[in-house]
Amino acid sequence: AGKSTLAAAFSARGYRLLSDDLCAVTVTEPQGVLVYPAFPRVKLWKDTASQLQIPTDGLERSRMELEKVHLPIPAPLFQTAPLPPAQIVLLRTELSPDQQETRVLRGLAALRRFDIIHRWRLGLAMGQQALILQGLARLVERAPVAEVARSDNFADLPELVDRVRALAEMPRG
């Protein structure tokens, strides 16, 4: 919850967007793990866009029954080449501001977060347990995993961007 809002906030600060919420990841040798760009857009709820002072007039709707729009990302702010993962951030909503902490997940704690992989249950049902676990293990060994708490209303969005950005500056290991 909040991936698109956080992506839009980073983009507003001049950071390049690789993907809004889903992206393809390859695990091969000799390249290792690469994350591929998706589409140069962010899907935002209209009320969230309003809170971020982003006009939505004329923007394409994500789905007609939803008050969600596609916010195009200008070419200079879109990352077109694949990149190795630097950090995996899992967002968690907390109602209480004093519980908005960041937890670094290591080892088994990171491996237990199958939700890093989209539709992992479908993969398990198709008998791909070994492939999923192997890919997840390679991914979390190359990119630190952190669970970051956020408020339920994004009043703290600037501070949330700063906390996520600080993860990239943390020492590895």
Side-chain angles (χ1 to χ4, degrees):
K3 298 178 297 293
S4 299
T5 303
L6 187 58
F10 267 101
S11 184
R13 286 195 184 184
Y15 289 93
R16 292 167 58 192
L17 176 77
L18 184 76
S19 177
D20 177 6
D21 60 352
L22 290 177
C23 51
V25 177
T26 59
V27 182
T28 60
E29 294 302 333
Q31 297 91 353
V33 178
L34 288 175
V35 181
Y36 286 80
F39 301 102
R41 68 172 186 228
V42 174
K43 294 180 284 184
L44 288 178
W45 293 101
K46 281 191 172 187
D47 60 342
T48 302
S50 176
Q51 186 177 357
L52 294 172
Q53 300 179 346
I54 298 170
T56 59
D57 293 339
L59 294 182
E60 176 187 355
R61 287 180 79 146
S62 179
R63 291 194 332 226
M64 291 313 294
E65 68 273 15
L66 297 178
E67 290 293 315
K68 204 170 196 180
V69 295
H70 291 214
L71 174 66
I73 299 297
L77 292 177
F78 185 67
Q79 174 66 36
T80 59
L83 295 171
Q87 180 76 49
I88 298 170
V89 177
L90 306 166
L91 295 177
R92 178 182 82 251
T93 303
E94 292 290 345
L95 300 178
S96 175
D98 60 333
Q99 293 184 11
Q100 293 180 27
E101 79 240 18
T102 298
R103 291 191 293 229
V104 176
L105 305 178
R106 292 187 171 87
L108 282 176
L111 276 175
R112 288 186 176 131
R113 293 306 304 259
F114 280 98
D115 54 337
I116 293 170
I117 298 174
H118 182 62
R119 296 194 177 173
W120 63 271
R121 286 187 173 103
L122 176 62
L124 294 181
M126 296 174 66
Q128 300 299 315
Q129 295 91 331
L131 183 62
I132 291 170
L133 187 57
Q134 180 185 30
L136 183 58
R138 296 275 305 280
L139 183 59
V140 301
E141 80 181 353
R142 285 175 170 71
V145 179
E147 187 179 71
V148 177
R150 66 166 189 86
S151 70
D152 64 337
N153 63 12
F154 285 110
D156 64 338
L157 187 58
E159 190 253 344
L160 177 62
V161 171
D162 292 339
R163 285 192 292 136
V164 170
R165 178 66 185 111
L167 290 170
E169 298 165 2
M170 286 177 54
R172 305 290 184 217

